[in-house]
């Protein structure tokens, strides 16, 4: 979901994993919320799927840091590129989601005059940011405003100083993780939103820092893989335990700034870093998804919503097979939408 100045396989691989991870989160979360205290077998399937991809959003941020921090930028050139590559597609999809959200309203609730449509659209922007998954795009646009200055600051630090900065961020973010932050509403709570952005900002620096390290032997990879599995177990079992203790569904362990999520995304980053794909078909798929990742992120919620309207939902069968199938179909349809948009005149500027 960030520009790629160069094609490096492991960066593409991580971008693909982050993209698929976000889709899995949005497919599996309804299972977790709808099945709890009901069909616990289904709940555990959704819980394990969800727990295994908590890395998704932090990984997108780390990729931005890995590819963009530590460089010197000409401000005019930098902001122009961000405008074309990030903001223009976002503006297009904002309008697309306004139209989509209006169309799925019951006919009795659809505003039908210009003034009422404008009032409804403004209210939707204020309450939900139009679509709730846009919260990440608003945040990354905010970070892009600061990127040249953050990059300059990071370049002036020694590696040890960067490490201490990351440790301080991790402690601060974890200790403040339960403070109420509404990433969706634009009506008020701006100081809390800035605090939320600060909680996520360390992932940018973490991605930049981890590019300096590699896992060099098999035993290190085994340890990293084991730690990744441990993070999934901790997230899933802790969610079950804390929910049971509190007598309601407790999803705190799914948080993006918990130590467990940090462990998960760090181990995945290091596991995939410097790996290569030799199979030509897999390499083509990897590059396709990576290149279309921003557009897939922007469009996939609409795809999921349209599927839901036609009863294409996890309840079609056991979530052990419906979740992976829905994830694959959602990914393929989202890719197709972006592919078609890019074939239209000027479509490459708005598709994402």
């Amino acid at each position: 979901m960030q520009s790629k100045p160069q094609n490096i396989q492991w960066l593409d691989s991580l971008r693909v994993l982050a993209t698929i991870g976000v889709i899995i989160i949005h497919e599996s979360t309804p299972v977790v919320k709808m099945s709890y205290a009901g069909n616990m077998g289904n709940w555990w399937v959704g819980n394990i799927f969800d727990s295994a991809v908590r890395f998704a959003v932090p990984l997108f941020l780390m990729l931005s840091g890995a590819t963009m921090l530590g460089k010197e930028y000409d401000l005019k050139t930098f902001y122009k590129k961000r405008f074309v590559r990030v903001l223009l597609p976002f503006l297009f999809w904002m309008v697309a989601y306004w139209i989509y959200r209006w169309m799925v309203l019951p006919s009795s609730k659809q505003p039908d005059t210009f003034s009422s449509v404008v009032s409804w659209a403004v209210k939707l922007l204020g309450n939900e940011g139009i679509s709730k998954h846009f919260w990440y795009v608003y945040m990354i646009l905010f970070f892009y405003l600061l990127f040249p200055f953050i990059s300059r600051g990071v370049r002036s630090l020694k590696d040890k100083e960067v490490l201490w900065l990351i440790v301080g961020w991790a402690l601060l973010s974890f200790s403040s993780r339960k403070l109420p932050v509404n990433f969706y509403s634009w009506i008020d709570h701006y100081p809390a939103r800035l605090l939320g952005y600060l909680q996520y900002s360390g992932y940018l620096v973490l991605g930049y820092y981890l590019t300096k390290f590699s896992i060099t032997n098999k035993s290190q990879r085994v340890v990293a893989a084991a730690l990744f599995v441990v993070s999934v177990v901790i997230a899933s079992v802790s969610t079950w335990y804390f929910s049971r203790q509190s007598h309601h569904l407790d999803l705190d362990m799914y948080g993006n700034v918990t130590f467990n999520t940090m462990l998960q995304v760090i181990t995945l980053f290091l596991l995939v870093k410097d790996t290569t794909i030799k199979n030509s078909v897999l390499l083509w798929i990897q590059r396709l998804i990576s290149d279309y990742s921003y557009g897939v992120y922007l469009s996939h919620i609409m795809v999921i919503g349209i599927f839901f309207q036609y009863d294409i939902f996890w309840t079609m069968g056991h979530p052990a097979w419906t979740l992976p199938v829905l994830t694959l179909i959602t990914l393929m349809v989202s890719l197709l939408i972006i592919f078609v948009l890019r074939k239209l005149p000027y479509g490459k500027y708005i598709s994402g």
Side-chain angles (χ1 to χ4, degrees), residues 200-217:
Y200 281 85
S201 63
Y203 281 118
L204 302 169
V205 182
L206 181 60
Y208 162 79
Y209 181 74
L210 289 182
T211 58
K212 304 174 184 293
F213 300 92
S214 297
I215 294 179
T216 57
N217 58 58

Side-chain angles (χ1 to χ4, degrees), residues 152-344:
R152 186 179 303 170
V154 167
R155 285 194 305 120
S156 67
L157 299 176
K158 298 178 181 178
D159 288 348
K160 188 175 182 180
E161 293 171 328
V162 174
L163 177 59
W164 281 112
L165 180 65
I166 292 170
V167 170
W169 156 76
L171 293 172
L172 176 64
S173 297
F174 180 78
S175 61
S176 62
R177 73 191 186 285
K178 291 193 175 182
L179 293 176
V181 179
N182 187 338
F183 285 105
Y184 310 122
S185 173
W186 283 99
I187 295 175
D188 51 19
H189 310 299
Y190 299 114
R193 181 185 290 266
L194 289 175
L195 172 62
Y197 289 172
L198 177 63
Q199 290 174 333
Y200 281 85
S201 63
Y203 281 118
L204 302 169
V205 182
L206 181 60
Y208 162 79
Y209 181 74
L210 289 182
T211 58
K212 304 174 184 293
F213 300 92
S214 297
I215 294 179
T216 57
N217 58 58
K218 184 177 180 180
S219 61
Q220 291 176 332
R221 288 193 173 277
V222 169
V223 171
L227 288 174
F228 180 87
V229 173
V230 166
S231 75
V232 177
V233 172
I234 290 174
S236 57
V237 174
S238 296
T239 297
W240 166 78
Y241 176 77
F242 292 136
S243 297
R244 185 179 180 184
Q245 291 298 110
S246 60
H247 304 290
H248 65 82
L249 186 59
D250 186 336
L251 301 180
D252 281 354
M253 285 302 295
Y254 284 2
N256 288 321
V257 291
T258 65
F259 287 143
N260 192 63
T261 299
M262 294 176 193
L263 171 66
Q264 186 176 107
V265 72
I266 289 171
T267 54
L268 181 67
F269 191 97
L270 292 175
L271 272 171
V272 176
K273 185 178 180 294
D274 298 327
T275 59
T276 58
I277 296 175
K278 296 182 180 179
N279 183 283
S280 59
V281 175
L282 291 179
L283 188 60
W284 178 81
I285 294 172
Q286 175 216 52
R287 289 177 176 173
L288 175 70
I289 298 174
S290 176
D291 185 37
Y292 285 22
S293 61
Y294 184 39
V296 170
Y297 182 89
L298 292 171
S299 63
H300 79 280
I301 290 294
M302 187 181 296
V303 174
I304 291 174
I306 293 173
F307 282 169
F308 178 75
Q309 289 180 279
Y310 289 92
D311 296 323
I312 305 174
F313 197 49
W314 73 267
T315 52
M316 294 185 303
H318 197 283
W321 72 263
T322 58
L323 285 180
V325 168
L326 286 172
T327 297
L328 179 61
I329 296 174
T330 300
L331 175 64
M332 293 175 65
V333 172
S334 300
L335 289 170
L336 179 61
I337 291 171
I338 305 307
F339 175 80
V340 171
L341 284 174
R342 289 191 179 187
K343 293 299 181 181
L344 300 176

Side-chain angles (χ1 to χ4, degrees), residues 61-81:
L61 290 169
M62 288 174 66
L63 286 167
S64 291
T67 56
M68 297 173 64
L69 286 185
K71 302 175 183 178
E72 186 67 35
Y73 293 103
D74 173 74
L75 293 182
K76 182 178 179 181
T77 302
F78 178 84
Y79 291 130
K80 181 179 179 180
K81 286 183 177 179

Side-chain angles (χ1 to χ4, degrees), residues 44-181:
W44 270 107
V45 172
N47 180 33
I48 292 171
F49 269 95
D50 224 330
S51 298
V53 290
R54 301 321 306 172
F55 61 79
V57 169
L59 185 55
F60 271 131
L61 290 169
M62 288 174 66
L63 286 167
S64 291
T67 56
M68 297 173 64
L69 286 185
K71 302 175 183 178
E72 186 67 35
Y73 293 103
D74 173 74
L75 293 182
K76 182 178 179 181
T77 302
F78 178 84
Y79 291 130
K80 181 179 179 180
K81 286 183 177 179
R82 286 333 103 188
F83 175 79
V84 173
R85 295 179 182 179
V86 180
L87 186 57
L88 280 183
F90 184 45
L91 293 174
F92 167 79
W93 283 103
M94 288 174 72
V95 175
Y97 272 89
W98 258 320
I99 296 172
Y100 167 71
R101 294 293 298 271
W102 181 86
M103 291 180 66
V104 298
L105 287 172
S107 57
S108 60
K109 294 185 178 180
Q110 287 179 336
D112 55 4
T113 65
F114 178 77
S115 60
S116 63
V117 169
V118 170
S119 176
W120 167 83
V122 171
K123 185 179 293 185
L124 186 63
L125 173 63
N127 291 335
E128 300 181 28
I130 304 176
S131 180
K132 287 186 175 180
H133 76 301
F134 284 169
W135 75 270
Y136 176 84
V137 187
Y138 294 124
M139 180 174 67
I140 202 66
L141 287 171
F142 174 78
F143 286 151
Y144 280 161
L145 292 175
L146 305 177
F147 244 110
F149 310 103
I150 298 174
S151 183
R152 186 179 303 170
V154 167
R155 285 194 305 120
S156 67
L157 299 176
K158 298 178 181 178
D159 288 348
K160 188 175 182 180
E161 293 171 328
V162 174
L163 177 59
W164 281 112
L165 180 65
I166 292 170
V167 170
W169 156 76
L171 293 172
L172 176 64
S173 297
F174 180 78
S175 61
S176 62
R177 73 191 186 285
K178 291 193 175 182
L179 293 176
V181 179

